[in-house]
Amino acid sequence: MTGTTPHNRLPGPGGLPRNSWGTSGTAAIRHAKTDAAGLTTVPATRVTLLDRMHYGRHAMPGVRNVSQAQRTFHSTLSRFQGAAMPGKRQRNSIAGKVALVTGGARGLGAATAERLSGEGARVFVVDVQPPSANRFNDTRITSLRGDVTSLADMSEAVEEVVNRAGCLDIVIANAGVAAKGATVRVSSPSTIDRLFDVNVRGVLNTVHASLPHIIDASGRIVLLSSVFAYINGAGTIPYAMSKAAVEQLGRGLRVELAAHEVSVTTAYFAMINTDMIRQSIDEDPAAQALLDSLPKVLHKRISPEQAARAIVTGLSRRDARVVRPRRWSAASGLRGIIATALDARLAADGKVQSIVATLDSRMGKNTLTT
């Protein structure tokens, strides 16, 4: 935990003496976390370690207790991470920006549009279905009709946004569908094709149509992947494949667009209480039972509003990734270690195999969610 780098080779950020910063300070940075409000926190054990090792004999001037030490450390860490670069806060602000959200008529898309508007953005939502009559009582939000599976539709929607608002700074590719649980063997090819059309081609169409304007604005892109991009997708393999594709798109675009100062944020959510989850999980006992085979700690659900808040927070900081609930971050980080073991356990679990047999009897019944 203390590392091997000699003290005299470590920087002394924030005015800390080099010999008092030491290797435990480096360890604390590695274990620092950032909460939803963008505040950097360090686990209590790490701060206690710093306090015990350095705030005694080599105390920082003016630091009288651990709470003050924490505040000093947070300030130092922010400077160390470059969080206070001149102009960065203004560049990352949402206020006054123009955003486009696909699949924005309801659920997570609508919640994200409302959150962006609350931060001062001008928002356009694109959906094949109109929002409910009282969904948006907000002059900052405009609804457009468009199908993400049609590049012509998305190009037309983007041009309408630019004509009305003068530019496009933010695009959020949120539109997506799932299918009722079934094995690949009995899944309808037409259903799989439609799912890929929406979840993969729809995201690509959204990016293609908006990219010239996003590059002009040094703007921001958010892609909605899922924890299913890295957990076993048995029972919903086409959906998991589509979200893995979106993950790869996000990672690649972040590199390709770096020279244009365009940020790409990939969001990974687990269960969000939306119509899609209710139709694909809650109304399907077999799908629910398969989900229950995962460790209990991973069963937590979040609301669309919580997910929207996470998206906008990540967007404002131009983060590469947003993961909610946060506990899924460990599964993502350790996927290379966990995946093989989890796959083997699921393959050998009699209860899981019984559920798979149920899904295997659904010939042609894997209809898409709305």
Side-chain angles (χ1 to χ4, degrees):
M1 201 158 41
T2 59
T4 58
T5 307
H7 286 202
N8 60 6
R9 293 185 185 176
L10 288 168
L16 280 171
R18 290 173 187 262
N19 65 346
S20 69
W21 179 253
T23 48
S24 66
T26 305
I29 285 178
R30 282 200 300 267
H31 291 276
K33 297 179 180 179
T34 304
D35 63 17
L39 299 176
T40 302
T41 59
V42 180
T45 54
R46 306 290 171 184
V47 174
T48 302
L49 176 66
L50 278 166
D51 177 62
R52 187 167 61 247
M53 294 183 69
H54 300 301
Y55 297 159
R57 187 164 57 88
H58 300 290
M60 289 183 291
V63 175
R64 299 174 183 174
N65 53 52
V66 172
S67 295
Q68 191 174 354
Q70 284 180 299
R71 289 194 296 273
T72 302
F73 185 80
H74 295 162
S75 176
T76 300
L77 184 60
S78 292
R79 290 196 296 273
F80 184 82
Q81 293 174 322
M85 289 192 299
K88 186 173 181 181
R89 180 173 296 179
Q90 182 177 1
R91 177 173 175 263
N92 290 357
S93 173
I94 301 297
K97 303 300 184 185
V98 178
L100 182 151
V101 182
T102 64
R106 55 182 173 174
L108 175 56
T112 302
E114 290 168 337
R115 187 77 186 184
L116 287 167
S117 174
E119 295 288 330
R122 175 82 165 89
V123 187
F124 293 82
V125 297
V126 180
D127 206 306
V128 291
Q129 300 291 340
S132 59
N134 299 318
R135 176 72 229 207
F136 298 127
N137 295 312
D138 187 338
T139 57
R140 287 182 175 274
I141 301 177
T142 301
S143 298
L144 304 175
R145 191 192 179 285
D147 183 349
V148 295
T149 66
S150 165
L151 180 57
D153 269 20
M154 290 310 302
S155 297
E156 185 178 331
V158 167
E159 289 311 310
E160 184 166 354
V161 170
V162 174
N163 288 338
R164 290 196 189 190
C167 64
L168 177 59
D169 303 289
I170 297 166
V171 62
I172 301 178
N174 166 77
V177 293
K180 186 175 181 180
T183 62
V184 168
R185 189 176 73 87
V186 300
S187 295
S188 161
S190 61
T191 299
I192 295 175
D193 286 346
R194 178 61 181 169
L195 185 146
F196 278 120
D197 274 348
V198 177
N199 291 6
V200 181
R201 187 183 301 278
V203 175
L204 281 169
N205 286 342
T206 301
V207 170
H208 271 300
S210 61
L211 207 48
H213 301 288
I214 292 295
I215 288 175
D216 285 346
S218 295
R220 286 166 269 191
I221 298 171
V222 179
L223 306 181
L224 271 291
S225 182
S226 166
V227 299
F228 277 94
Y230 52 81
I231 65 171
N232 194 295
T236 183
I237 289 174
Y239 177 79
M241 290 172 64
S242 73
K243 293 305 179 180
V246 171
E247 177 187 46
Q248 287 299 317
L249 177 62
R251 290 175 60 190
L253 282 176
R254 193 167 178 88
V255 175
E256 291 183 0
L257 299 176
H260 300 284
E261 296 187 320
V262 171
S263 66
V264 182
T265 301
T266 304
Y268 303 81
F269 296 120
M271 300 295 108
I272 304 174
N273 285 319
T274 61
D275 288 342
M276 188 173 80
I277 294 301
R278 282 189 285 273
Q279 293 171 23
S280 61
I281 302 293
D282 296 344
E283 297 174 6
D284 186 347
Q288 184 63 60
L290 194 58
L291 183 65
D292 288 344
S293 67
L294 293 174
K296 296 292 184 184
V297 70
L298 301 179
H299 290 186
K300 181 180 178 180
R301 294 191 180 195
I302 60 175
S303 68
E305 290 70 27
Q306 288 174 304
R309 183 166 61 248
I311 288 173
V312 175
T313 299
L315 186 67
S316 65
R317 297 195 302 238
R318 294 178 177 258
D319 288 341
R321 294 159 53 88
V322 170
V323 183
R324 294 292 186 281
R326 294 177 187 276
R327 60 194 64 179
W328 282 92
S329 296
S332 173
L334 297 173
R335 67 172 82 180
I337 300 171
I338 293 174
T340 302
L342 182 59
D343 292 353
R345 185 178 73 81
L346 293 174
D349 189 315
K351 182 178 179 181
V352 170
Q353 290 305 308
S354 176
I355 298 166
V356 170
T358 299
L359 299 177
D360 211 21
S361 66
R362 294 178 170 178
M363 182 68 73
K365 297 181 180 178
N366 60 324
T367 55
L368 292 177
T369 60
T370 55

